[in-house]
Amino acid sequence: MEINPIYIDQLGRRVAIPFPPRRIISLVPSQTELLYHIGADVAGITKFCVHPDEWFRTKPRIGGTKQLHIDKIRALQPDLIIANKEENEPEQVKALMEEFPVWVSDIHNLRDAMEMIRWLGVITGHSPEAVDLVIQIMAGFRGLPALAPIKAAYFIWKDPWMVAGGDTFINEMMKACGLENIFGDKPRYPVITPDQLQGTDCRLILLSSEPYPFKDKHIAALQVIFPQAKVLLVDGEMYSWYGSRLLEAPAYFREIMAAFR
């Protein structure tokens, strides 16, 4: 009788996964891109897994990150499903765990992201590629200049206004590019009012490209409300994708620093 190796996911769960897994389904866009980067393959992805374009155009899609089509997943007969604690609905992931091996990531900071990358390399049989990726990412972040922090807010949604709080990966990326999150004392993604922001000494407002698609028109609107702060559109993938996209983040953060300072 074949016994599958046991791996510990980032929730501390023991997961038996065949080595190497042959039919992987990724429920997380940033981890889909990571699997491609290290040379692994997938049998299915979500409709939000837009990178790489080659997979987005050709791989079967199994719904959205929070609205999975369980029947489509079941039809693909996966031997590994890769999920995330925050990005996927817990009840759907729990249902999948009853039928398939599910490895769940839980990313709060850069260290968690590097651990996830290394483990997915081990699990998929691409450990050398994953380790090399971690080395490159960490070198890029170590090369960022240490600057006096600028007080900033990172908006992710409109109607209602929502921002990134302190216990998020976005908050960690803000720190990396020399920003102090003025809502760092609030959990997750709080709803705020314009009055709450006007009562602070915020100097920089970042409008993310995702999940809400902020545009130039929103810059003008917010600049009227907060004339004391500079408002910038930023690439949300650079602040919230915790896979191989992190290779590009340090150079992007340098651009943000240069645009403001």
Side-chain angles (χ1 to χ4, degrees):
M1 179 179 179
E2 184 176 351
I3 299 177
N4 293 327
I6 300 293
Y7 301 94
I8 308 297
D9 72 7
Q10 290 185 299
L11 300 184
R13 298 170 49 254
R14 294 166 56 86
V15 187
I17 303 171
F19 183 82
R22 301 294 184 185
R23 298 189 60 77
I24 301 172
I25 289 179
S26 174
L27 309 182
V28 186
S30 58
Q31 292 175 179
T32 297
E33 183 181 43
L34 167 64
L35 292 170
Y36 179 85
H37 185 95
I38 64 175
D41 197 7
V42 296
I45 60 176
T46 77
K47 65 180 181 180
F48 299 118
C49 295
V50 296
H51 302 299
D53 182 65
E54 174 188 342
W55 280 6
F56 182 66
R57 288 184 288 104
T58 61
K59 296 293 184 180
R61 300 182 198 171
I62 46 76
T65 52
K66 295 188 181 296
Q67 293 181 319
L68 304 170
H69 296 160
I70 304 296
D71 55 337
K72 291 184 178 181
I73 293 175
R74 191 176 289 123
L76 291 172
Q77 299 182 315
D79 54 9
L80 172 61
I81 296 173
I82 298 172
N84 176 263
K85 180 182 178 181
E86 179 177 294
E87 295 195 42
N88 303 125
E89 286 296 328
E91 290 305 312
Q92 287 197 309
V93 173
K94 184 178 178 180
L96 291 171
M97 289 174 177
E98 295 177 359
E99 298 185 49
F100 309 104
V102 181
W103 195 91
V104 184
S105 64
D106 186 17
I107 312 294
H108 299 273
N109 49 49
L110 195 58
R111 182 183 62 187
D112 293 339
M114 298 304 98
E115 178 186 70
M116 178 272 294
I117 291 172
R118 286 192 294 266
W119 270 115
L120 289 189
V122 170
I123 291 167
T124 61
H126 293 277
S127 188
E129 295 88 344
V131 169
D132 183 62
L133 175 59
V134 167
I135 291 171
Q136 292 181 60
I137 290 172
M138 293 308 297
F141 276 86
R142 282 194 296 269
L144 287 172
L147 302 171
I150 293 171
K151 293 190 176 182
Y154 188 102
F155 281 71
I156 66 161
W157 201 257
K158 182 180 181 294
D159 299 326
W161 294 112
M162 296 177 67
V163 297
D167 57 346
T168 62
F169 188 71
I170 291 172
N171 184 69
E172 293 299 308
M173 295 300 98
M174 291 176 70
K175 290 179 184 177
C177 60
L179 304 178
E180 178 185 344
N181 186 356
I182 63 170
F183 296 107
D185 61 336
K186 298 186 181 298
R188 311 312 294 151
Y189 303 100
V191 173
I192 68 160
T193 65
D195 287 345
Q196 284 177 279
L197 191 57
Q198 286 177 330
T200 71
D201 53 354
C202 178
R203 295 180 57 207
L204 179 62
I205 296 173
L206 303 182
L207 302 183
S208 180
S209 61
E210 61 172 39
Y212 187 90
F214 284 106
K215 305 296 183 185
D216 287 335
K217 64 181 180 181
H218 299 114
I219 292 181
L222 279 171
Q223 201 68 79
V224 170
I225 301 174
F226 310 112
Q228 77 281 9
K230 183 177 180 63
V231 185
L232 295 177
L233 286 176
V234 293
D235 185 345
E237 293 177 0
M238 295 298 181
Y239 285 86
S240 61
W241 284 40
Y242 37 75
S244 49
R245 181 68 37 159
L246 289 169
L247 271 178
E248 303 174 28
Y252 183 79
F253 292 160
R254 287 178 181 273
E255 293 177 8
I256 297 298
M257 294 174 186
F260 181 76
R261 294 180 186 267

